[in-house]
Coordinates of all heavy atoms in Angstrom, one line a residue:
M1 N -13.1 -64.5 85.3 CA -13.0 -64.0 86.7 C -11.4 -63.8 87.0 O -10.7 -64.9 86.7 CB -13.7 -64.9 87.8 CG -13.3 -64.5 89.1 SD -13.8 -65.7 90.5 CE -15.1 -66.6 89.8
D2 N -11.0 -62.8 87.5 CA -9.6 -62.6 87.8 C -9.5 -63.0 89.4 O -9.9 -62.3 90.2 CB -9.2 -61.2 87.7 CG -7.7 -61.0 88.1 OD1 -7.0 -61.9 88.1 OD2 -7.3 -59.8 88.3
T3 N -8.8 -64.2 89.5 CA -8.6 -64.7 90.8 C -7.1 -64.6 91.2 O -6.7 -65.2 92.2 CB -9.1 -66.1 90.9 OG1 -8.4 -66.9 90.0 CG2 -10.6 -66.2 90.7
H4 N -6.3 -63.8 90.4 CA -4.9 -63.8 90.7 C -4.5 -63.5 92.2 O -3.7 -64.3 92.7 CB -4.2 -62.8 89.8 CG -2.8 -62.6 90.1 ND1 -1.8 -63.6 89.7 CD2 -2.0 -61.6 90.7 CE1 -0.6 -63.2 90.1 NE2 -0.8 -62.1 90.6
N5 N -5.0 -62.5 92.8 CA -4.6 -62.1 94.1 C -5.1 -63.1 95.2 O -4.4 -63.5 96.1 CB -5.2 -60.7 94.5 CG -4.5 -59.6 93.8 OD1 -3.4 -59.7 93.3 ND2 -5.1 -58.5 93.6
I6 N -6.3 -63.7 95.0 CA -6.8 -64.6 95.9 C -6.3 -66.1 95.8 O -6.4 -66.8 96.7 CB -8.4 -64.6 95.9 CG1 -8.9 -65.1 97.3 CG2 -8.9 -65.4 94.8 CD1 -10.3 -64.7 97.6
S7 N -5.7 -66.3 94.6 CA -5.1 -67.6 94.4 C -4.1 -68.0 95.3 O -3.7 -69.2 95.4 CB -4.7 -67.7 92.9 OG -3.6 -66.9 92.6
V8 N -3.4 -67.1 96.0 CA -2.4 -67.4 97.0 C -2.9 -68.4 98.1 O -2.1 -69.1 98.7 CB -1.7 -66.2 97.6 CG1 -1.0 -65.3 96.5 CG2 -2.7 -65.4 98.4
I9 N -4.2 -68.4 98.3 CA -4.8 -69.3 99.4 C -5.3 -70.6 98.8 O -5.8 -71.5 99.5 CB -5.8 -68.6 100.2 CG1 -7.0 -68.2 99.5 CG2 -5.2 -67.5 100.9 CD1 -8.2 -67.7 100.4
F10 N -5.3 -70.8 97.5 CA -5.7 -72.0 96.8 C -4.8 -73.2 97.5 O -3.6 -73.1 97.6 CB -5.5 -72.0 95.4 CG -6.5 -71.2 94.6 CD1 -6.4 -71.1 93.2 CD2 -7.5 -70.5 95.2 CE1 -7.3 -70.3 92.5 CE2 -8.4 -69.8 94.6 CZ -8.3 -69.7 93.1
G11 N -5.4 -74.2 97.7 CA -4.7 -75.4 98.2 C -5.5 -76.2 99.2 O -6.7 -75.9 99.4
T12 N -4.8 -77.1 100.0 CA -5.5 -77.9 101.0 C -5.0 -77.4 102.4 O -3.8 -77.4 102.5 CB -5.1 -79.4 100.7 OG1 -5.5 -79.7 99.4 CG2 -5.8 -80.3 101.7
W13 N -5.9 -77.3 103.3 CA -5.7 -76.8 104.6 C -6.3 -77.8 105.6 O -7.4 -78.2 105.4 CB -6.3 -75.4 104.7 CG -5.8 -74.4 103.7 CD1 -6.3 -74.3 102.5 CD2 -4.8 -73.6 103.8 NE1 -5.6 -73.3 101.8 CE2 -4.7 -72.8 102.6 CE3 -3.8 -73.3 104.8 CZ2 -3.7 -71.9 102.4 CZ3 -2.8 -72.4 104.6 CH2 -2.8 -71.7 103.4
E14 N -5.5 -78.1 106.6 CA -5.9 -79.1 107.6 C -6.2 -78.3 108.9 O -5.5 -77.4 109.3 CB -4.8 -80.1 107.9 CG -4.3 -80.9 106.7 CD -5.3 -82.0 106.4 OE1 -6.1 -82.4 107.3 OE2 -5.4 -82.4 105.3
K15 N -7.3 -78.7 109.6 CA -7.6 -78.1 110.9 C -6.5 -78.6 111.9 O -6.2 -79.7 112.0 CB -9.0 -78.5 111.4 CG -9.3 -78.0 112.7 CD -10.7 -78.4 113.2 CE -10.5 -79.7 113.9 NZ -11.7 -80.2 114.6
T16 N -5.9 -77.6 112.6 CA -4.8 -78.0 113.6 C -5.3 -77.7 115.0 O -4.7 -78.3 115.9 CB -3.6 -77.3 113.3 OG1 -3.8 -75.9 113.3 CG2 -3.0 -77.7 111.9
F17 N -6.3 -76.9 115.2 CA -6.8 -76.6 116.6 C -8.2 -76.2 116.5 O -8.8 -75.8 115.4 CB -6.0 -75.7 117.3 CG -6.0 -74.3 116.8 CD1 -6.9 -73.3 117.2 CD2 -5.0 -74.0 115.7 CE1 -7.0 -72.0 116.6 CE2 -5.1 -72.7 115.1 CZ -6.0 -71.8 115.5
S18 N -9.0 -76.2 117.6 CA -10.5 -75.8 117.6 C -10.8 -74.8 118.6 O -11.8 -74.8 119.2 CB -11.3 -77.1 118.0 OG -11.0 -78.1 117.0
E19 N -9.8 -73.8 118.8 CA -10.1 -72.8 119.8 C -11.4 -72.0 119.4 O -11.5 -71.5 118.3 CB -8.8 -71.9 119.8 CG -8.8 -70.7 120.8 CD -7.7 -69.9 120.8 OE1 -6.6 -70.5 120.4 OE2 -7.7 -68.8 121.3
N20 N -12.2 -71.8 120.4 CA -13.4 -71.1 120.4 C -14.5 -71.6 119.4 O -15.5 -71.0 119.1 CB -13.1 -69.7 120.0 CG -12.3 -68.9 121.1 OD1 -12.4 -69.2 122.3 ND2 -11.4 -68.1 120.6
V21 N -14.3 -72.8 118.9 CA -15.3 -73.4 118.0 C -16.5 -73.7 118.7 O -17.7 -73.4 118.2 CB -14.7 -74.7 117.3 CG1 -15.9 -75.4 116.5 CG2 -13.6 -74.3 116.3
D22 N -16.5 -74.2 119.9 CA -17.6 -74.5 120.7 C -18.5 -73.3 121.0 O -19.7 -73.3 120.8 CB -17.3 -75.2 122.1 CG -18.5 -75.7 122.8 OD1 -19.1 -76.7 122.3 OD2 -18.8 -75.2 123.9
E23 N -17.9 -72.2 121.4 CA -18.5 -71.0 121.7 C -19.2 -70.4 120.4 O -20.4 -69.9 120.5 CB -17.6 -70.0 122.2 CG -17.0 -70.4 123.6 CD -15.9 -71.2 123.6 OE1 -15.4 -71.6 122.6 OE2 -15.4 -71.6 124.7
Y24 N -18.5 -70.5 119.3 CA -19.1 -69.9 118.0 C -20.3 -70.8 117.7 O -21.4 -70.2 117.4 CB -18.1 -70.0 116.9 CG -18.7 -69.9 115.6 CD1 -19.1 -68.6 115.1 CD2 -18.9 -71.0 114.8 CE1 -19.7 -68.6 113.9 CE2 -19.4 -70.9 113.5 CZ -19.8 -69.6 113.1 OH -20.5 -69.5 111.9
L25 N -20.2 -72.1 117.7 CA -21.3 -73.0 117.3 C -22.5 -72.8 118.2 O -23.6 -72.8 117.8 CB -20.8 -74.4 117.2 CG -19.9 -74.7 116.0 CD1 -19.4 -76.0 116.1 CD2 -20.6 -74.3 114.7
E26 N -22.3 -72.6 119.5 CA -23.3 -72.4 120.4 C -24.1 -71.1 120.1 O -25.3 -71.0 120.2 CB -22.8 -72.3 121.9 CG -23.9 -72.3 123.0 CD -23.4 -72.3 124.4 OE1 -22.2 -72.0 124.6 OE2 -24.2 -72.6 125.2
A27 N -23.3 -70.1 119.8 CA -23.9 -68.9 119.4 C -24.7 -68.9 118.2 O -25.7 -68.1 118.0 CB -22.8 -67.8 119.3
V28 N -24.4 -69.8 117.2 CA -25.2 -69.9 116.0 C -26.3 -71.0 116.2 O -27.0 -71.3 115.2 CB -24.3 -70.1 114.7 CG1 -23.4 -69.0 114.5 CG2 -23.6 -71.4 114.8
G29 N -26.4 -71.5 117.4 CA -27.5 -72.4 117.6 C -27.3 -73.9 117.5 O -28.3 -74.6 117.6
A30 N -26.1 -74.3 117.4 CA -25.8 -75.8 117.3 C -25.9 -76.4 118.7 O -25.5 -75.8 119.7 CB -24.4 -76.0 116.7
G31 N -26.5 -77.6 118.7 CA -26.6 -78.3 120.0 C -25.3 -78.9 120.4 O -24.3 -78.9 119.7
I32 N -25.3 -79.5 121.6 CA -24.1 -80.0 122.2 C -23.4 -81.2 121.5 O -22.3 -81.3 121.3 CB -24.3 -80.5 123.7 CG1 -23.0 -80.9 124.4 CG2 -25.4 -81.6 123.8 CD1 -22.1 -79.8 124.7
V33 N -24.3 -82.1 120.8 CA -23.7 -83.1 120.1 C -23.0 -82.6 118.9 O -21.9 -83.0 118.6 CB -24.8 -84.2 119.6 CG1 -24.3 -85.2 118.7 CG2 -25.5 -84.8 120.9
K34 N -23.6 -81.8 118.1 CA -23.0 -81.2 117.0 C -21.6 -80.4 117.3 O -20.7 -80.4 116.6 CB -23.8 -80.3 116.2 CG -24.9 -81.1 115.5 CD -25.9 -80.2 114.7 CE -26.9 -81.0 114.0 NZ -27.8 -80.2 113.2
R35 N -21.7 -79.6 118.5 CA -20.6 -78.9 118.9 C -19.4 -79.8 119.3 O -18.2 -79.5 118.9 CB -20.9 -78.0 120.0 CG -21.9 -76.9 119.7 CD -22.0 -75.8 120.6 NE -22.0 -76.1 122.1 CZ -23.0 -76.3 122.9 NH1 -24.2 -76.1 122.5 NH2 -22.7 -76.5 124.1
T36 N -19.7 -80.9 120.0 CA -18.7 -81.8 120.4 C -18.1 -82.5 119.1 O -16.8 -82.6 119.0 CB -19.3 -82.9 121.3 OG1 -19.9 -82.3 122.5 CG2 -18.2 -84.0 121.7
L37 N -18.9 -82.9 118.1 CA -18.5 -83.6 116.9 C -17.5 -82.6 116.2 O -16.5 -82.9 115.7 CB -19.5 -83.9 116.0 CG -19.3 -84.5 114.7 CD1 -18.6 -85.9 114.9 CD2 -20.6 -84.7 113.8
A38 N -17.9 -81.3 116.1 CA -17.1 -80.3 115.2 C -15.8 -80.0 115.9 O -14.8 -79.8 115.3 CB -17.9 -79.0 115.1
S39 N -15.7 -80.1 117.2 CA -14.5 -79.8 118.0 C -13.5 -81.0 117.8 O -12.3 -80.8 117.9 CB -14.8 -79.5 119.5 OG -15.4 -78.4 119.6
N40 N -14.0 -82.2 117.6 CA -13.2 -83.3 117.6 C -12.9 -84.0 116.2 O -12.2 -84.9 116.0 CB -13.7 -84.4 118.5 CG -13.7 -83.9 119.9 OD1 -12.6 -83.6 120.4 ND2 -14.9 -83.8 120.6
V41 N -13.6 -83.6 115.1 CA -13.5 -84.2 113.9 C -12.3 -83.6 113.1 O -11.9 -82.6 113.3 CB -14.8 -84.0 113.0 CG1 -14.9 -82.5 112.5 CG2 -15.0 -84.9 111.8
N42 N -11.7 -84.5 112.4 CA -10.6 -84.1 111.5 C -11.2 -83.4 110.2 O -12.0 -84.0 109.6 CB -9.8 -85.3 110.9 CG -9.0 -86.0 112.0 OD1 -8.6 -85.3 113.0 ND2 -9.0 -87.3 112.0
L43 N -10.8 -82.1 110.0 CA -11.4 -81.4 108.9 C -10.3 -80.9 107.9 O -9.2 -80.5 108.4 CB -12.1 -80.1 109.5 CG -12.6 -79.1 108.5 CD1 -13.7 -79.7 107.7 CD2 -13.1 -77.8 109.2
T44 N -10.6 -81.1 106.7 CA -9.7 -80.6 105.6 C -10.5 -79.6 104.8 O -11.7 -79.9 104.4 CB -9.2 -81.7 104.7 OG1 -8.5 -82.6 105.5 CG2 -8.3 -81.2 103.6
I45 N -9.9 -78.5 104.4 CA -10.6 -77.5 103.5 C -9.7 -77.3 102.3 O -8.6 -77.1 102.4 CB -10.8 -76.2 104.3 CG1 -11.7 -76.3 105.5 CG2 -11.4 -75.1 103.3 CD1 -11.8 -75.0 106.3
V46 N -10.4 -77.6 101.2 CA -9.7 -77.5 99.9 C -10.3 -76.2 99.2 O -11.5 -76.0 99.0 CB -10.0 -78.6 99.0 CG1 -9.2 -78.4 97.7 CG2 -9.5 -79.9 99.7
F47 N -9.4 -75.2 98.9 CA -9.9 -73.9 98.3 C -9.4 -74.0 96.9 O -8.1 -74.1 96.7 CB -9.2 -72.8 99.2 CG -9.7 -71.4 98.7 CD1 -11.1 -71.0 99.1 CD2 -9.0 -70.6 97.9 CE1 -11.5 -69.7 98.7 CE2 -9.4 -69.4 97.6 CZ -10.6 -68.9 97.9
S48 N -10.3 -73.8 95.9 CA -9.8 -73.9 94.6 C -10.7 -73.1 93.6 O -11.7 -72.6 94.1 CB -9.8 -75.4 94.1 OG -11.2 -75.9 94.2
E49 N -10.4 -73.2 92.3 CA -11.3 -72.6 91.3 C -11.8 -73.7 90.5 O -11.1 -74.6 90.1 CB -10.6 -71.7 90.5 CG -11.4 -70.9 89.5 CD -10.7 -69.9 88.7 OE1 -9.5 -69.7 88.9 OE2 -11.3 -69.2 87.9
R50 N -13.1 -73.9 90.3 CA -13.8 -74.8 89.5 C -14.8 -74.2 88.6 O -15.7 -73.6 89.1 CB -14.4 -75.9 90.4 CG -13.5 -76.7 91.3 CD -14.2 -77.6 92.2 NE -14.8 -78.7 91.6 CZ -15.5 -79.6 92.1 NH1 -15.8 -79.5 93.4 NH2 -16.0 -80.7 91.4
E51 N -14.8 -74.5 87.3 CA -15.8 -74.0 86.4 C -16.1 -72.6 86.4 O -17.2 -72.2 86.4 CB -17.1 -74.9 86.6 CG -16.8 -76.4 86.3 CD -18.1 -77.2 86.7 OE1 -19.1 -76.7 87.1 OE2 -18.1 -78.5 86.7
G52 N -15.0 -71.8 86.6 CA -15.2 -70.4 86.6 C -15.6 -69.7 87.9 O -15.7 -68.5 88.1
K53 N -15.8 -70.6 89.0 CA -16.2 -70.1 90.2 C -15.1 -70.5 91.3 O -14.4 -71.5 91.1 CB -17.5 -70.6 90.7 CG -18.6 -70.0 90.0 CD -19.9 -70.4 90.6 CE -21.2 -69.7 90.1 NZ -22.4 -69.9 90.7
L54 N -15.1 -69.8 92.4 CA -14.2 -70.2 93.4 C -15.0 -71.3 94.2 O -16.3 -71.3 94.1 CB -13.9 -69.1 94.5 CG -13.1 -68.0 93.8 CD1 -13.0 -66.8 94.7 CD2 -11.7 -68.4 93.4
N55 N -14.3 -72.2 94.9 CA -14.9 -73.3 95.6 C -14.2 -73.6 96.9 O -13.0 -73.7 96.9 CB -14.9 -74.6 94.7 CG -15.8 -75.7 95.2 OD1 -17.0 -75.6 95.2 ND2 -15.2 -76.8 95.6
L56 N -15.0 -73.8 98.0 CA -14.5 -74.3 99.1 C -15.1 -75.8 99.2 O -16.3 -76.0 99.1 CB -15.2 -73.5 100.4 CG -14.6 -72.1 100.6 CD1 -15.3 -71.3 101.7 CD2 -13.1 -72.3 101.0
R57 N -14.2 -76.7 99.6 CA -14.7 -78.1 99.7 C -14.2 -78.5 101.2 O -13.1 -78.4 101.6 CB -14.0 -79.0 98.7 CG -14.5 -80.5 98.9 CD -13.9 -81.2 97.7 NE -14.2 -82.6 97.8 CZ -15.4 -83.2 97.4 NH1 -16.3 -82.4 96.8 NH2 -15.6 -84.5 97.5
Y58 N -15.3 -78.8 102.0 CA -15.0 -79.2 103.4 C -15.0 -80.8 103.4 O -16.0 -81.3 102.9 CB -16.2 -78.7 104.3 CG -16.2 -77.2 104.3 CD1 -17.0 -76.4 103.6 CD2 -15.4 -76.6 105.4 CE1 -17.0 -75.1 103.8 CE2 -15.4 -75.2 105.5 CZ -16.2 -74.4 104.7 OH -16.3 -73.1 104.8
V59 N -14.0 -81.4 103.8 CA -13.9 -82.8 103.8 C -13.7 -83.4 105.3 O -12.8 -82.9 105.9 CB -12.7 -83.3 103.0 CG1 -12.7 -84.8 102.9 CG2 -12.9 -82.8 101.6
T60 N -14.6 -84.2 105.6 CA -14.4 -84.9 107.0 C -14.6 -86.4 106.8 O -15.0 -86.8 105.7 CB -15.5 -84.4 108.0 OG1 -16.9 -84.9 107.6 CG2 -15.6 -82.9 108.1
P61 N -14.3 -87.2 107.7 CA -14.6 -88.6 107.6 C -16.0 -89.0 107.3 O -16.3 -90.1 106.7 CB -14.1 -89.3 109.0 CG -13.2 -88.2 109.5 CD -13.7 -86.8 109.1
L62 N -16.9 -88.1 107.6 CA -18.4 -88.4 107.4 C -19.0 -87.8 106.1 O -19.9 -88.4 105.5 CB -19.2 -87.8 108.6 CG -18.8 -88.3 109.9 CD1 -19.6 -87.6 111.0 CD2 -19.0 -89.8 110.0
A63 N -18.4 -86.8 105.5 CA -19.0 -86.2 104.4 C -17.9 -85.2 103.7 O -16.9 -84.8 104.3 CB -20.2 -85.4 104.8
A64 N -18.3 -84.8 102.4 CA -17.6 -83.8 101.7 C -18.6 -82.9 101.2 O -19.6 -83.3 100.5 CB -16.7 -84.4 100.6
I65 N -18.4 -81.6 101.4 CA -19.4 -80.6 101.0 C -18.7 -79.5 100.1 O -17.7 -78.9 100.6 CB -20.1 -79.9 102.2 CG1 -20.8 -81.0 103.0 CG2 -21.0 -78.9 101.7 CD1 -21.3 -80.5 104.3
D66 N -19.2 -79.3 98.9 CA -18.7 -78.2 98.0 C -19.5 -76.9 98.2 O -20.7 -77.0 98.2 CB -18.7 -78.7 96.6 CG -17.6 -79.6 96.3 OD1 -16.4 -79.3 96.4 OD2 -17.9 -80.8 95.9
V67 N -18.8 -75.9 98.4 CA -19.5 -74.6 98.5 C -18.9 -73.6 97.3 O -17.9 -73.0 97.5 CB -19.4 -73.9 99.8 CG1 -20.0 -72.6 99.8 CG2 -19.8 -74.9 100.9
P68 N -19.6 -73.6 96.1 CA -19.1 -72.7 95.1 C -19.6 -71.2 95.3 O -20.6 -70.9 95.9 CB -19.8 -73.2 93.8 CG -21.0 -73.8 94.3 CD -20.7 -74.3 95.7
F69 N -18.7 -70.2 95.0 CA -19.0 -68.8 95.2 C -18.2 -67.9 94.3 O -17.3 -68.4 93.6 CB -18.8 -68.4 96.7 CG -17.4 -68.4 97.1 CD1 -16.6 -67.3 97.0 CD2 -16.7 -69.6 97.5 CE1 -15.2 -67.2 97.4 CE2 -15.4 -69.6 97.8 CZ -14.7 -68.5 97.8
E70 N -18.7 -66.8 94.2 CA -18.0 -65.7 93.3 C -17.6 -64.6 94.3 O -18.2 -64.2 95.2 CB -18.9 -65.2 92.2 CG -19.3 -66.3 91.2 CD -20.2 -65.7 90.1 OE1 -19.8 -64.7 89.5 OE2 -21.2 -66.3 90.0
L71 N -16.4 -64.0 94.0 CA -16.0 -62.9 94.7 C -17.0 -61.7 94.8 O -17.5 -61.4 93.7 CB -14.7 -62.3 94.2 CG -13.4 -63.1 94.4 CD1 -12.1 -62.5 93.8 CD2 -13.2 -63.3 95.9
G72 N -17.3 -61.2 95.9 CA -18.2 -60.0 95.9 C -19.6 -60.3 95.9 O -20.4 -59.5 96.0
V73 N -20.1 -61.6 95.7 CA -21.4 -61.9 95.7 C -21.8 -62.7 96.9 O -21.2 -63.7 97.3 CB -21.6 -62.8 94.4 CG1 -23.1 -63.2 94.3 CG2 -21.3 -62.0 93.1
E74 N -22.9 -62.2 97.6 CA -23.4 -62.8 98.8 C -24.0 -64.2 98.4 O -24.7 -64.3 97.5 CB -24.4 -62.0 99.6 CG -24.8 -62.5 100.8 CD -25.7 -61.6 101.5 OE1 -27.0 -61.7 101.3 OE2 -25.2 -60.8 102.3
F75 N -23.7 -65.3 99.3 CA -24.2 -66.5 99.1 C -24.6 -67.2 100.3 O -24.1 -66.8 101.4 CB -23.2 -67.5 98.3 CG -22.0 -67.7 99.0 CD1 -21.8 -68.8 99.8 CD2 -20.9 -66.8 98.9 CE1 -20.5 -69.0 100.3 CE2 -19.6 -66.9 99.5 CZ -19.5 -68.1 100.2
D76 N -25.4 -68.2 100.4 CA -25.9 -69.0 101.5 C -24.8 -70.0 101.7 O -24.6 -70.8 100.8 CB -27.2 -69.5 101.4 CG -28.3 -68.6 101.5 OD1 -28.2 -67.6 102.2 OD2 -29.4 -68.6 100.7
H77 N -24.3 -70.1 102.9 CA -23.2 -71.0 103.2 C -23.9 -72.0 104.2 O -24.1 -71.7 105.3 CB -22.1 -70.2 103.9 CG -20.9 -71.1 104.1 ND1 -19.7 -70.6 104.5 CD2 -20.7 -72.4 104.2 CE1 -18.8 -71.6 104.6 NE2 -19.5 -72.7 104.6
V78 N -24.1 -73.2 103.8 CA -24.7 -74.2 104.6 C -23.7 -75.4 104.7 O -23.2 -75.8 103.7 CB -26.0 -74.8 104.0 CG1 -26.6 -75.8 104.8 CG2 -27.0 -73.6 103.8
H79 N -23.5 -75.8 106.0 CA -22.5 -76.9 106.1 C -23.1 -78.0 106.9 O -24.2 -78.0 107.3 CB -21.2 -76.5 106.6 CG -21.2 -75.7 107.8 ND1 -21.3 -76.3 109.1 CD2 -21.1 -74.4 108.1 CE1 -21.3 -75.3 110.0 NE2 -21.2 -74.1 109.5
A80 N -22.3 -79.1 107.2 CA -22.8 -80.2 107.9 C -23.4 -80.0 109.2 O -24.2 -80.7 109.7 CB -21.6 -81.2 108.0
L81 N -23.0 -78.9 110.0 CA -23.7 -78.7 111.3 C -24.8 -77.8 111.2 O -25.4 -77.4 112.2 CB -22.5 -77.9 112.1 CG -21.3 -78.8 112.4 CD1 -20.2 -78.0 113.0 CD2 -21.7 -80.0 113.2
D82 N -25.3 -77.6 110.1 CA -26.7 -76.9 109.7 C -26.7 -75.4 109.9 O -27.7 -74.9 109.5 CB -27.8 -77.6 110.6 CG -28.1 -78.9 110.1 OD1 -27.8 -79.3 109.0 OD2 -28.5 -79.8 111.0
P83 N -25.9 -74.7 110.5 CA -26.0 -73.2 110.5 C -26.0 -72.7 109.1 O -25.3 -73.0 108.3 CB -24.8 -72.7 111.3 CG -24.3 -73.8 112.1 CD -24.6 -75.0 111.3
H84 N -27.1 -71.9 108.8 CA -27.2 -71.3 107.5 C -26.6 -69.8 107.7 O -27.0 -69.0 108.5 CB -28.6 -71.1 107.1 CG -29.2 -72.5 106.9 ND1 -29.3 -73.1 105.7 CD2 -29.9 -73.4 107.8 CE1 -29.9 -74.3 105.8 NE2 -30.2 -74.4 107.1
I85 N -25.5 -69.6 107.0 CA -24.8 -68.3 107.1 C -24.8 -67.6 105.8 O -24.4 -68.2 104.8 CB -23.3 -68.7 107.6 CG1 -23.4 -69.5 108.9 CG2 -22.5 -67.4 107.7 CD1 -22.0 -70.1 109.3
K86 N -25.1 -66.4 105.8 CA -24.8 -65.6 104.6 C -23.4 -65.1 104.6 O -22.9 -64.6 105.6 CB -25.8 -64.4 104.6 CG -27.3 -64.8 104.5 CD -27.9 -63.9 103.4 CE -29.3 -64.3 103.2 NZ -29.6 -65.1 102.1
T87 N -22.8 -65.3 103.5 CA -21.3 -65.0 103.4 C -21.1 -64.2 102.1 O -21.7 -64.4 101.0 CB -20.5 -66.3 103.4 OG1 -20.8 -67.1 104.5 CG2 -19.1 -66.0 103.3
R88 N -20.0 -63.3 102.2 CA -19.5 -62.7 101.0 C -18.0 -62.6 101.1 O -17.4 -62.2 102.2 CB -20.1 -61.2 101.0 CG -19.6 -60.5 99.7 CD -20.1 -59.1 99.7 NE -21.3 -58.9 100.3 CZ -22.4 -58.4 99.7 NH1 -22.3 -57.8 98.5 NH2 -23.6 -58.3 100.3
V89 N -17.3 -63.1 100.1 CA -15.9 -63.1 100.1 C -15.5 -62.1 99.1 O -16.0 -62.0 97.9 CB -15.3 -64.4 99.6 CG1 -13.7 -64.4 99.6 CG2 -15.7 -65.5 100.7
S90 N -14.7 -61.1 99.4 CA -14.1 -60.1 98.5 C -12.6 -59.9 98.7 O -12.1 -60.3 99.7 CB -14.9 -58.7 98.7 OG -14.7 -58.3 100.0
E91 N -12.0 -59.2 97.7 CA -10.6 -58.9 97.9 C -10.5 -57.5 98.5 O -11.2 -56.6 98.2 CB -9.9 -58.9 96.5 CG -9.8 -60.3 95.9 CD -9.1 -60.2 94.6 OE1 -9.7 -60.0 93.6 OE2 -7.8 -60.5 94.7
N92 N -9.4 -57.5 99.3 CA -9.1 -56.1 100.0 C -7.6 -56.0 99.8 O -6.8 -56.5 100.5 CB -9.4 -56.3 101.5 CG -9.1 -55.0 102.2 OD1 -8.7 -54.0 101.6 ND2 -9.2 -55.1 103.5
G93 N -7.2 -55.4 98.7 CA -5.9 -55.2 98.3 C -5.4 -56.5 97.9 O -5.8 -57.2 96.9
Q94 N -4.4 -57.1 98.6 CA -3.7 -58.4 98.2 C -4.5 -59.6 98.9 O -4.0 -60.7 98.8 CB -2.3 -58.4 98.7 CG -1.5 -57.4 98.0 CD -1.2 -57.8 96.5 OE1 -1.0 -59.0 96.3 NE2 -1.2 -56.9 95.6
A95 N -5.5 -59.4 99.7 CA -6.0 -60.5 100.6 C -7.5 -60.7 100.2 O -8.2 -59.8 99.9 CB -5.8 -60.2 102.0
G96 N -7.9 -61.9 100.4 CA -9.4 -62.2 100.4 C -10.0 -62.2 101.8 O -9.3 -62.5 102.7
V97 N -11.1 -61.5 101.9 CA -11.7 -61.3 103.2 C -13.1 -61.7 103.3 O -13.8 -61.8 102.2 CB -11.5 -59.8 103.7 CG1 -10.1 -59.5 104.0 CG2 -12.1 -58.8 102.8

């Protein structure tokens, strides 16, 4: 798999703000407890390549969840707050979208 263009976002990313997170989670059906937790938890996202696939790793004080995926292939994205989201990541010129 050629990940050259998308590799610019490989690394570790820290959540610095939670603007509109509550509204988004309410729209996807998360209850008040989960929305409050999501707005206040420290979140780290590690974007990498593992075993020939791209990988998103969500790390919080409570859990770590790996989400492997391939560019252009739709996948079910399930995370600690339970929303099941169909996701597809593809390259658009120089950027992953």
Side-chain angles (χ1 to χ4, degrees):
M1 169 189 340
D2 180 17
T3 59
H4 175 72
N5 289 338
I6 203 164
S7 68
V8 298
I9 63 172
F10 286 178
T12 301
W13 303 86
E14 301 286 332
K15 179 181 88 170
T16 58
F17 64 93
S18 298
E19 184 176 335
N20 298 324
V21 169
D22 187 69
E23 292 83 0
Y24 164 75
L25 291 174
E26 184 175 21
V28 297
I32 186 69
V33 173
K34 289 180 180 181
R35 294 193 326 257
T36 301
L37 179 63
S39 294
N40 294 303
V41 72
N42 293 325
L43 173 66
T44 301
I45 298 174
V46 180
F47 188 79
S48 63
E49 184 176 3
R50 295 174 76 183
E51 300 174 5
K53 288 189 175 185
L54 297 171
N55 192 68
L56 285 173
R57 182 173 179 83
Y58 296 95
V59 182
T60 70
L62 303 174
I65 299 170
D66 285 299
V67 182
F69 66 96
E70 294 180 54
L71 286 177
V73 178
E74 187 174 86
F75 61 96
D76 289 322
H77 184 165
V78 180
H79 56 79
L81 296 173
D82 292 333
H84 297 268
I85 302 166
K86 292 233 181 255
T87 304
R88 180 185 325 234
V89 178
S90 58
E91 288 185 275
N92 182 3
Q94 295 286 322
V97 292

